[in-house]
PDB file of all heavy atoms in Angstrom:
ATOM      1  N   ALA K  36     -35.285  26.727  69.450  1.00  0.00           N
ATOM      2  CA  ALA K  36     -35.656  27.256  70.760  1.00  0.00           C
ATOM      3  C   ALA K  36     -35.815  26.114  71.756  1.00  0.00           C
ATOM      4  O   ALA K  36     -36.233  25.014  71.388  1.00  0.00           O
ATOM      5  CB  ALA K  36     -36.964  28.046  70.667  1.00  0.00           C
ATOM      6  N   VAL K  37     -35.488  26.418  73.006  1.00  0.00           N
ATOM      7  CA  VAL K  37     -35.626  25.466  74.106  1.00  0.00           C
ATOM      8  C   VAL K  37     -36.214  26.217  75.284  1.00  0.00           C
ATOM      9  O   VAL K  37     -35.693  27.266  75.690  1.00  0.00           O
ATOM     10  CB  VAL K  37     -34.250  24.868  74.496  1.00  0.00           C
ATOM     11  CG1 VAL K  37     -34.362  23.999  75.727  1.00  0.00           C
ATOM     12  CG2 VAL K  37     -33.654  24.094  73.338  1.00  0.00           C
ATOM     13  N   LEU K  38     -37.295  25.694  75.858  1.00  0.00           N
ATOM     14  CA  LEU K  38     -37.912  26.310  77.028  1.00  0.00           C
ATOM     15  C   LEU K  38     -37.563  25.483  78.258  1.00  0.00           C
ATOM     16  O   LEU K  38     -37.772  24.267  78.273  1.00  0.00           O
ATOM     17  CB  LEU K  38     -39.425  26.423  76.891  1.00  0.00           C
ATOM     18  CG  LEU K  38     -39.977  27.326  77.988  1.00  0.00           C
ATOM     19  CD1 LEU K  38     -40.197  28.724  77.458  1.00  0.00           C
ATOM     20  CD2 LEU K  38     -41.214  26.759  78.571  1.00  0.00           C
ATOM     21  N   VAL K  39     -37.024  26.158  79.284  1.00  0.00           N
ATOM     22  CA  VAL K  39     -36.518  25.496  80.480  1.00  0.00           C
ATOM     23  C   VAL K  39     -37.262  26.019  81.709  1.00  0.00           C
ATOM     24  O   VAL K  39     -37.453  27.230  81.853  1.00  0.00           O
ATOM     25  CB  VAL K  39     -34.998  25.762  80.627  1.00  0.00           C
ATOM     26  CG1 VAL K  39     -34.465  25.201  81.930  1.00  0.00           C
ATOM     27  CG2 VAL K  39     -34.241  25.191  79.431  1.00  0.00           C
ATOM     28  N   VAL K  40     -37.669  25.101  82.571  1.00  0.00           N
ATOM     29  CA  VAL K  40     -38.268  25.441  83.861  1.00  0.00           C
ATOM     30  C   VAL K  40     -37.549  24.613  84.920  1.00  0.00           C
ATOM     31  O   VAL K  40     -37.427  23.393  84.774  1.00  0.00           O
ATOM     32  CB  VAL K  40     -39.787  25.148  83.888  1.00  0.00           C
ATOM     33  CG1 VAL K  40     -40.369  25.442  85.260  1.00  0.00           C
ATOM     34  CG2 VAL K  40     -40.516  25.936  82.813  1.00  0.00           C
ATOM     35  N   ASN K  41     -37.069  25.275  85.956  1.00  0.00           N
ATOM     36  CA  ASN K  41     -36.349  24.580  87.038  1.00  0.00           C
ATOM     37  C   ASN K  41     -35.224  23.698  86.503  1.00  0.00           C
ATOM     38  O   ASN K  41     -35.076  22.550  86.897  1.00  0.00           O
ATOM     39  CB  ASN K  41     -37.307  23.757  87.898  1.00  0.00           C
ATOM     40  CG  ASN K  41     -38.311  24.619  88.605  1.00  0.00           C
ATOM     41  OD1 ASN K  41     -38.017  25.742  89.017  1.00  0.00           O
ATOM     42  ND2 ASN K  41     -39.522  24.109  88.748  1.00  0.00           N
ATOM     43  N   ASP K  42     -34.453  24.256  85.581  1.00  0.00           N
ATOM     44  CA  ASP K  42     -33.300  23.565  84.992  1.00  0.00           C
ATOM     45  C   ASP K  42     -33.658  22.293  84.230  1.00  0.00           C
ATOM     46  O   ASP K  42     -32.807  21.439  84.003  1.00  0.00           O
ATOM     47  CB  ASP K  42     -32.238  23.259  86.061  1.00  0.00           C
ATOM     48  CG  ASP K  42     -31.670  24.528  86.682  1.00  0.00           C
ATOM     49  OD1 ASP K  42     -31.561  25.536  85.963  1.00  0.00           O
ATOM     50  OD2 ASP K  42     -31.346  24.495  87.884  1.00  0.00           O
ATOM     51  N   GLN K  43     -34.920  22.161  83.830  1.00  0.00           N
ATOM     52  CA  GLN K  43     -35.373  21.018  83.038  1.00  0.00           C
ATOM     53  C   GLN K  43     -35.939  21.518  81.713  1.00  0.00           C
ATOM     54  O   GLN K  43     -36.705  22.475  81.691  1.00  0.00           O
ATOM     55  CB  GLN K  43     -36.477  20.247  83.777  1.00  0.00           C
ATOM     56  CG  GLN K  43     -36.049  19.630  85.084  1.00  0.00           C
ATOM     57  CD  GLN K  43     -35.100  18.461  84.882  1.00  0.00           C
ATOM     58  OE1 GLN K  43     -35.219  17.704  83.926  1.00  0.00           O
ATOM     59  NE2 GLN K  43     -34.151  18.312  85.795  1.00  0.00           N
ATOM     60  N   ILE K  44     -35.581  20.843  80.631  1.00  0.00           N
ATOM     61  CA  ILE K  44     -36.147  21.183  79.330  1.00  0.00           C
ATOM     62  C   ILE K  44     -37.599  20.710  79.302  1.00  0.00           C
ATOM     63  O   ILE K  44     -37.883  19.534  79.504  1.00  0.00           O
ATOM     64  CB  ILE K  44     -35.349  20.545  78.184  1.00  0.00           C
ATOM     65  CG1 ILE K  44     -33.937  21.147  78.135  1.00  0.00           C
ATOM     66  CG2 ILE K  44     -36.088  20.729  76.855  1.00  0.00           C
ATOM     67  CD1 ILE K  44     -33.018  20.495  77.119  1.00  0.00           C
ATOM     68  N   ILE K  45     -38.496  21.661  79.079  1.00  0.00           N
ATOM     69  CA  ILE K  45     -39.931  21.372  79.004  1.00  0.00           C
ATOM     70  C   ILE K  45     -40.369  21.208  77.550  1.00  0.00           C
ATOM     71  O   ILE K  45     -41.228  20.397  77.239  1.00  0.00           O
ATOM     72  CB  ILE K  45     -40.756  22.502  79.676  1.00  0.00           C
ATOM     73  CG1 ILE K  45     -40.338  22.677  81.129  1.00  0.00           C
ATOM     74  CG2 ILE K  45     -42.249  22.253  79.557  1.00  0.00           C
ATOM     75  CD1 ILE K  45     -40.554  21.459  82.000  1.00  0.00           C
ATOM     76  N   ALA K  46     -39.755  21.994  76.661  1.00  0.00           N
ATOM     77  CA  ALA K  46     -40.122  21.931  75.246  1.00  0.00           C
ATOM     78  C   ALA K  46     -38.957  22.425  74.409  1.00  0.00           C
ATOM     79  O   ALA K  46     -38.161  23.253  74.860  1.00  0.00           O
ATOM     80  CB  ALA K  46     -41.357  22.788  74.986  1.00  0.00           C
ATOM     81  N   LYS K  47     -38.888  21.914  73.191  1.00  0.00           N
ATOM     82  CA  LYS K  47     -37.873  22.374  72.240  1.00  0.00           C
ATOM     83  C   LYS K  47     -38.452  22.276  70.842  1.00  0.00           C
ATOM     84  O   LYS K  47     -39.329  21.440  70.585  1.00  0.00           O
ATOM     85  CB  LYS K  47     -36.584  21.573  72.371  1.00  0.00           C
ATOM     86  CG  LYS K  47     -36.742  20.079  72.229  1.00  0.00           C
ATOM     87  CD  LYS K  47     -35.449  19.359  72.566  1.00  0.00           C
ATOM     88  CE  LYS K  47     -35.679  17.843  72.496  1.00  0.00           C
ATOM     89  NZ  LYS K  47     -34.472  17.116  72.833  1.00  0.00           N
ATOM     90  N   ALA K  48     -37.974  23.164  69.976  1.00  0.00           N
ATOM     91  CA  ALA K  48     -38.531  23.196  68.626  1.00  0.00           C
ATOM     92  C   ALA K  48     -37.604  23.935  67.677  1.00  0.00           C
ATOM     93  O   ALA K  48     -36.789  24.754  68.096  1.00  0.00           O
ATOM     94  CB  ALA K  48     -39.889  23.892  68.634  1.00  0.00           C
ATOM     95  N   GLY K  49     -37.778  23.642  66.407  1.00  0.00           N
ATOM     96  CA  GLY K  49     -37.137  24.395  65.346  1.00  0.00           C
ATOM     97  C   GLY K  49     -38.218  25.085  64.534  1.00  0.00           C
ATOM     98  O   GLY K  49     -39.397  24.764  64.650  1.00  0.00           O
ATOM     99  N   ASN K  50     -37.809  26.020  63.712  1.00  0.00           N
ATOM    100  CA  ASN K  50     -38.750  26.730  62.840  1.00  0.00           C
ATOM    101  C   ASN K  50     -39.484  25.749  61.929  1.00  0.00           C
ATOM    102  O   ASN K  50     -38.883  24.795  61.431  1.00  0.00           O
ATOM    103  CB  ASN K  50     -37.985  27.710  61.949  1.00  0.00           C
ATOM    104  CG  ASN K  50     -37.964  29.102  62.493  1.00  0.00           C
ATOM    105  OD1 ASN K  50     -38.503  29.386  63.554  1.00  0.00           O
ATOM    106  ND2 ASN K  50     -37.323  30.000  61.761  1.00  0.00           N
ATOM    107  N   HIS K  51     -40.789  26.022  61.667  1.00  0.00           N
ATOM    108  CA  HIS K  51     -41.571  25.198  60.745  1.00  0.00           C
ATOM    109  C   HIS K  51     -42.651  25.977  60.002  1.00  0.00           C
ATOM    110  O   HIS K  51     -43.676  25.399  59.650  1.00  0.00           O
ATOM    111  CB  HIS K  51     -42.210  24.016  61.479  1.00  0.00           C
ATOM    112  CG  HIS K  51     -41.237  22.947  61.824  1.00  0.00           C
ATOM    113  ND1 HIS K  51     -40.647  22.126  60.895  1.00  0.00           N
ATOM    114  CD2 HIS K  51     -40.702  22.594  63.016  1.00  0.00           C
ATOM    115  CE1 HIS K  51     -39.809  21.308  61.492  1.00  0.00           C
ATOM    116  NE2 HIS K  51     -39.814  21.574  62.782  1.00  0.00           N
ATOM    117  N   PRO K  52     -42.474  27.266  59.731  1.00  0.00           N
ATOM    118  CA  PRO K  52     -43.544  27.970  59.023  1.00  0.00           C
ATOM    119  C   PRO K  52     -43.738  27.512  57.577  1.00  0.00           C
ATOM    120  O   PRO K  52     -44.870  27.480  57.091  1.00  0.00           O
ATOM    121  CB  PRO K  52     -43.129  29.443  59.074  1.00  0.00           C
ATOM    122  CG  PRO K  52     -41.707  29.459  59.454  1.00  0.00           C
ATOM    123  CD  PRO K  52     -41.415  28.164  60.148  1.00  0.00           C
ATOM    124  N   ILE K  53     -42.663  27.118  56.903  1.00  0.00           N
ATOM    125  CA  ILE K  53     -42.777  26.708  55.499  1.00  0.00           C
ATOM    126  C   ILE K  53     -43.478  25.361  55.405  1.00  0.00           C
ATOM    127  O   ILE K  53     -44.504  25.229  54.741  1.00  0.00           O
ATOM    128  CB  ILE K  53     -41.389  26.666  54.824  1.00  0.00           C
ATOM    129  CG1 ILE K  53     -40.762  28.067  54.828  1.00  0.00           C
ATOM    130  CG2 ILE K  53     -41.493  26.125  53.403  1.00  0.00           C
ATOM    131  CD1 ILE K  53     -39.279  28.093  54.485  1.00  0.00           C
ATOM    132  N   SER K  54     -42.935  24.364  56.090  1.00  0.00           N
ATOM    133  CA  SER K  54     -43.514  23.018  56.007  1.00  0.00           C
ATOM    134  C   SER K  54     -44.900  22.949  56.629  1.00  0.00           C
ATOM    135  O   SER K  54     -45.731  22.147  56.206  1.00  0.00           O
ATOM    136  CB  SER K  54     -42.592  21.989  56.664  1.00  0.00           C
ATOM    137  OG  SER K  54     -42.422  22.279  58.031  1.00  0.00           O
ATOM    138  N   GLY K  55     -45.169  23.794  57.609  1.00  0.00           N
ATOM    139  CA  GLY K  55     -46.471  23.794  58.258  1.00  0.00           C
ATOM    140  C   GLY K  55     -47.462  24.759  57.647  1.00  0.00           C
ATOM    141  O   GLY K  55     -48.601  24.848  58.108  1.00  0.00           O
ATOM    142  N   SER K  56     -47.037  25.490  56.619  1.00  0.00           N
ATOM    143  CA  SER K  56     -47.882  26.528  56.016  1.00  0.00           C
ATOM    144  C   SER K  56     -48.506  27.390  57.103  1.00  0.00           C
ATOM    145  O   SER K  56     -49.708  27.662  57.101  1.00  0.00           O
ATOM    146  CB  SER K  56     -48.973  25.904  55.132  1.00  0.00           C
ATOM    147  OG  SER K  56     -48.397  25.165  54.088  1.00  0.00           O
ATOM    148  N   ASP K  57     -47.662  27.808  58.045  1.00  0.00           N
ATOM    149  CA  ASP K  57     -48.124  28.541  59.222  1.00  0.00           C
ATOM    150  C   ASP K  57     -47.148  29.679  59.530  1.00  0.00           C
ATOM    151  O   ASP K  57     -46.045  29.423  60.012  1.00  0.00           O
ATOM    152  CB  ASP K  57     -48.216  27.585  60.412  1.00  0.00           C
ATOM    153  CG  ASP K  57     -48.685  28.251  61.692  1.00  0.00           C
ATOM    154  OD1 ASP K  57     -48.890  29.486  61.717  1.00  0.00           O
ATOM    155  OD2 ASP K  57     -48.830  27.524  62.690  1.00  0.00           O
ATOM    156  N   PRO K  58     -47.545  30.914  59.257  1.00  0.00           N
ATOM    157  CA  PRO K  58     -46.627  32.029  59.505  1.00  0.00           C
ATOM    158  C   PRO K  58     -46.271  32.221  60.977  1.00  0.00           C
ATOM    159  O   PRO K  58     -45.313  32.911  61.294  1.00  0.00           O
ATOM    160  CB  PRO K  58     -47.379  33.249  58.958  1.00  0.00           C
ATOM    161  CG  PRO K  58     -48.808  32.846  58.966  1.00  0.00           C
ATOM    162  CD  PRO K  58     -48.835  31.356  58.746  1.00  0.00           C
ATOM    163  N   THR K  59     -47.017  31.604  61.867  1.00  0.00           N
ATOM    164  CA  THR K  59     -46.715  31.728  63.299  1.00  0.00           C
ATOM    165  C   THR K  59     -45.851  30.580  63.822  1.00  0.00           C
ATOM    166  O   THR K  59     -45.543  30.545  65.015  1.00  0.00           O
ATOM    167  CB  THR K  59     -48.008  31.798  64.147  1.00  0.00           C
ATOM    168  OG1 THR K  59     -48.665  30.526  64.112  1.00  0.00           O
ATOM    169  CG2 THR K  59     -48.929  32.903  63.669  1.00  0.00           C
ATOM    170  N   ALA K  60     -45.443  29.665  62.982  1.00  0.00           N
ATOM    171  CA  ALA K  60     -44.706  28.477  63.423  1.00  0.00           C
ATOM    172  C   ALA K  60     -43.213  28.753  63.591  1.00  0.00           C
ATOM    173  O   ALA K  60     -42.362  28.001  63.124  1.00  0.00           O
ATOM    174  CB  ALA K  60     -44.956  27.313  62.484  1.00  0.00           C
ATOM    175  N   HIS K  61     -42.913  29.831  64.300  1.00  0.00           N
ATOM    176  CA  HIS K  61     -41.523  30.107  64.670  1.00  0.00           C
ATOM    177  C   HIS K  61     -41.150  29.163  65.810  1.00  0.00           C
ATOM    178  O   HIS K  61     -42.017  28.716  66.582  1.00  0.00           O
ATOM    179  CB  HIS K  61     -41.362  31.554  65.131  1.00  0.00           C
ATOM    180  CG  HIS K  61     -41.485  32.549  64.023  1.00  0.00           C
ATOM    181  ND1 HIS K  61     -41.089  33.860  64.162  1.00  0.00           N
ATOM    182  CD2 HIS K  61     -41.961  32.437  62.755  1.00  0.00           C
ATOM    183  CE1 HIS K  61     -41.306  34.511  63.041  1.00  0.00           C
ATOM    184  NE2 HIS K  61     -41.844  33.668  62.177  1.00  0.00           N
ATOM    185  N   ALA K  62     -39.872  28.869  65.938  1.00  0.00           N
ATOM    186  CA  ALA K  62     -39.396  27.939  66.969  1.00  0.00           C
ATOM    187  C   ALA K  62     -39.881  28.340  68.359  1.00  0.00           C
ATOM    188  O   ALA K  62     -40.323  27.492  69.143  1.00  0.00           O
ATOM    189  CB  ALA K  62     -37.869  27.870  66.935  1.00  0.00           C
TER     190      ALA K  62
END
Side-chain angles (χ1 to χ4, degrees):
V37 174
L38 192 98
V39 175
V40 177
N41 297 325
D42 297 326
Q43 297 290 325
I44 294 175
I45 302 299
K47 56 188 176 181
N50 264 1
H51 286 290
I53 298 167
S54 62
S56 299
D57 180 356
T59 69
H61 289 195

